[in-house]
Amino acid sequence: MIKRSFYYLWGSQTISNIADIIYILSITVLVFNSSNSLMQTTLIPLFRLSAQVVSGLVAPIILSRFRLTRILLFSQLGQFVIFTLLLLYLWTVPGQSSFLFIFVLVFGMSFLDGWTNPARNALVPRLASGEGLMRANGLMAVSDQVVRCAGWALSGIIVAWLGTLSTLVIASCCYLVAATVTSVIRDPLDHQKSGSESPSPTSAASPAAAEPKGGYWKELGEGWQIIWHNRRIRSLMIVDSIDTIGGTSWLGVFILAYVTQVLHKDASWWGFMNASFFSGMILGGVLVVGLVKRLQKNGYLYMLGALFVYVLITVVFAFNTIPAAALVLFAVSGLPVQMAGIIRRTLLQTSAPAAQLPKVMAGIDVLTNLTFGLSLLFLGWYADRFGMVQVYLLAAAMTTIAVLIGWFYRREFQESEQAGYPTVTDERVSS
């Protein structure tokens, strides 16, 4: 079952993602055209990643004290306010902008955005249950990929047509609309608590906020403790982390290197490859939505199967030198990657109690970002040393290891999957 509030959440997050892509591209173009420095331009993603890591580290305290819907609304309104300040600044001092001030505002927006993902992922299982949960995750994944695929292409056209500042105005309006839609989302868990408890000054906080705490450090570590002691979550994160090491090889810079070094094509093929991969990701999400009844029964095994198919495709991709075949393989690879990702997210959402899930998701986000950053550095060195063919063979090897480890943990999921996924209000935590 999917509640009406999920569709409000889905819509607000889609609009917010559109705003993110528009603003990132606009700021990147603005900084690059004003400075003519690639070094200064690369500081934008650096500030964004740093802010999201810091935000993820303090997220457990925020997530434990306030309602998830309030956090989402505050994040979007905060980004709208910061964005408005950025617009006023750029209009006031055109051509004389301080890049440091712009980077600080980008850091602030990314810091607020760092709370969005764990809050969203923890809220989805409260608004969808049973078969509806995997279907809801599939719809979210499809919309995310559609926005990324169309957004990066259309944003460039919009920036060239309207100019940077006018495009930023569009992004600002998108943030405001997203916040408006978020304001009508209703969290069922909040209603349950308000119905069973008398009003108090802390009624705006989440259920976990009313519980006595052992200090900030205990709260910061609580999500990590759950991840470590819950065998289901721990096994999923081990599989995900190992897979991420190789999965980083599908990042744009590595694909560009593959296109030029292996396929011997120009940069235009880089765009074709990215478009084909996004197409495969979208198709994977659509298939999950259509096959949710079948996937729900043995979701964990389907996830491992999808990863194994991805390994086979990656090996063929590594040795392929035919451009047309590379496009097909790249598109096909997106399908199992998306399927495995949606199933893994659904399993994570059903493996922890509802009150603890936001902290767990915050810890997972930090771990994912750190793994991705370290993998990026390692694969960059590895690609320079051994070449792109060896990079994709390494990616296949790492995912193979992830599948083998996942197979070792399969019994943790078989019992619950035969009876259907447990609800997020189930207070059991494996040890």
Side-chain angles (χ1 to χ4, degrees):
M1 181 182 70
I2 299 180
K3 300 181 183 296
R4 180 182 298 177
S5 283
F6 166 77
Y7 295 103
Y8 296 141
L9 176 65
W10 184 26
S12 71
Q13 290 300 295
T14 300
I15 297 171
S16 182
N17 287 338
I18 293 173
D20 285 342
I21 291 176
I22 292 175
Y23 119 77
I24 292 171
L25 184 61
S26 300
I27 291 297
T28 301
V29 171
L30 174 68
V31 172
F32 183 74
N33 288 341
S34 300
S35 65
N36 289 319
S37 170
L38 187 60
M39 181 61 186
Q40 287 191 342
T41 306
T42 56
L43 290 176
I44 297 174
L46 178 62
F47 271 82
R48 280 176 54 80
L49 181 61
S50 301
Q52 288 173 350
V53 170
V54 174
S55 177
L57 291 174
V58 301
I61 296 177
I62 304 299
L63 295 168
S64 66
R65 281 167 165 71
F66 301 97
R67 297 175 180 174
L68 299 180
T69 51
R70 296 282 181 89
I71 293 172
L72 288 173
L73 182 59
F74 177 78
S75 175
Q76 290 170 339
L77 286 177
Q79 290 181 77
F80 170 73
V81 171
I82 294 176
F83 210 83
T84 302
L85 291 175
L86 176 60
L87 278 172
L88 292 175
Y89 174 73
L90 293 176
W91 261 320
T92 303
V93 287
Q96 300 177 0
S97 306
S98 168
F99 293 138
L100 178 60
F101 183 73
I102 293 176
F103 293 150
V104 169
L105 293 182
V106 168
F107 185 94
M109 292 186 64
S110 300
F111 181 84
L112 292 175
D113 189 51
W115 301 335
T116 300
N117 202 43
R120 181 186 88 165
N121 288 334
L123 188 58
V124 169
R126 301 184 187 183
L127 304 178
S129 58
E131 296 177 3
L133 178 56
M134 188 176 291
R135 182 173 288 111
N137 282 323
L139 291 173
M140 281 282 193
V142 169
S143 65
D144 286 348
Q145 297 306 324
V146 170
V147 168
R148 290 175 185 174
C149 185
W152 285 109
L154 295 178
S155 295
I157 298 175
I158 295 174
V159 170
W161 181 33
L162 299 179
T164 302
L165 290 181
S166 298
T167 307
L168 290 176
V169 172
I170 296 176
S172 180
C173 293
C174 287
Y175 280 122
L176 184 59
V177 172
T180 303
V181 177
T182 299
S183 66
V184 300
I185 299 173
R186 297 294 177 263
D187 184 351
L189 203 60
D190 291 338
H191 290 296
Q192 291 175 10
K193 294 298 291 184
S194 62
S196 60
E197 299 177 357
S198 58
S200 67
T202 60
S203 60
S206 66
E211 301 175 1
K213 299 292 178 181
Y216 290 121
W217 289 110
K218 182 178 180 180
E219 287 189 65
L220 291 174
E222 189 173 351
W224 295 98
Q225 290 177 357
I226 297 171
I227 293 173
W228 179 253
H229 292 292
N230 187 312
R231 287 177 61 86
R232 286 167 58 101
I233 296 177
R234 185 172 72 231
S235 62
L236 287 169
M237 290 315 302
I238 292 174
V239 170
D240 181 65
S241 297
I242 296 175
D243 179 47
T244 297
I245 296 175
T248 307
S249 62
W250 300 97
L251 196 66
V253 62
F254 295 109
I255 296 302
L256 179 60
Y258 174 85
V259 166
T260 56
Q261 296 176 10
V262 179
L263 301 182
H264 304 293
K265 291 290 184 178
D266 57 30
S268 64
W269 275 79
W270 182 35
F272 299 152
M273 299 285 284
N274 285 328
S276 66
F277 185 71
F278 280 127
S279 299
M281 296 279 280
I282 293 170
L283 179 59
V286 172
L287 283 179
V288 170
V289 173
L291 300 175
V292 64
K293 289 185 177 181
R294 179 177 297 181
L295 295 176
Q296 184 179 3
K297 281 295 182 181
N298 297 289
Y300 186 75
L301 294 180
Y302 276 112
M303 181 194 75
L304 295 181
L307 289 176
F308 183 71
V309 171
Y310 159 77
V311 169
L312 298 178
I313 295 172
T314 304
V315 172
V316 177
F317 185 83
F319 289 108
N320 173 67
T321 57
I322 303 173
L327 283 177
V328 175
L329 289 169
F330 211 42
V332 174
S333 68
L335 195 153
V337 168
Q338 182 74 298
M339 290 184 66
I342 294 173
I343 296 172
R344 183 162 56 234
R345 183 188 302 174
T346 303
L347 291 172
L348 285 169
Q349 290 168 335
T350 56
S351 296
Q356 297 175 341
L357 192 58
K359 297 179 182 178
V360 172
M361 288 299 177
I364 289 173
D365 269 13
V366 172
L367 182 61
T368 301
N369 286 331
L370 289 176
T371 303
F372 177 80
L374 293 175
S375 301
L376 184 60
L377 293 175
F378 169 72
L379 287 183
W381 168 82
Y382 194 87
D384 286 338
R385 183 74 180 271
F386 300 104
M388 291 308 302
V389 172
Q390 294 301 320
V391 166
Y392 288 109
L393 290 178
L394 175 64
M398 296 305 298
T399 303
T400 301
I401 294 173
V403 171
L404 293 175
I405 293 175
W407 181 257
F408 176 78
Y409 281 103
R410 68 190 184 281
R411 292 184 180 179
E412 297 295 329
F413 299 85
Q414 288 178 341
E415 181 179 350
S416 61
E417 286 183 340
Q418 290 174 357
Y421 290 131
T423 61
V424 294
T425 54
D426 185 359
E427 295 295 327
R428 295 172 298 172
V429 179
S430 303
S431 60

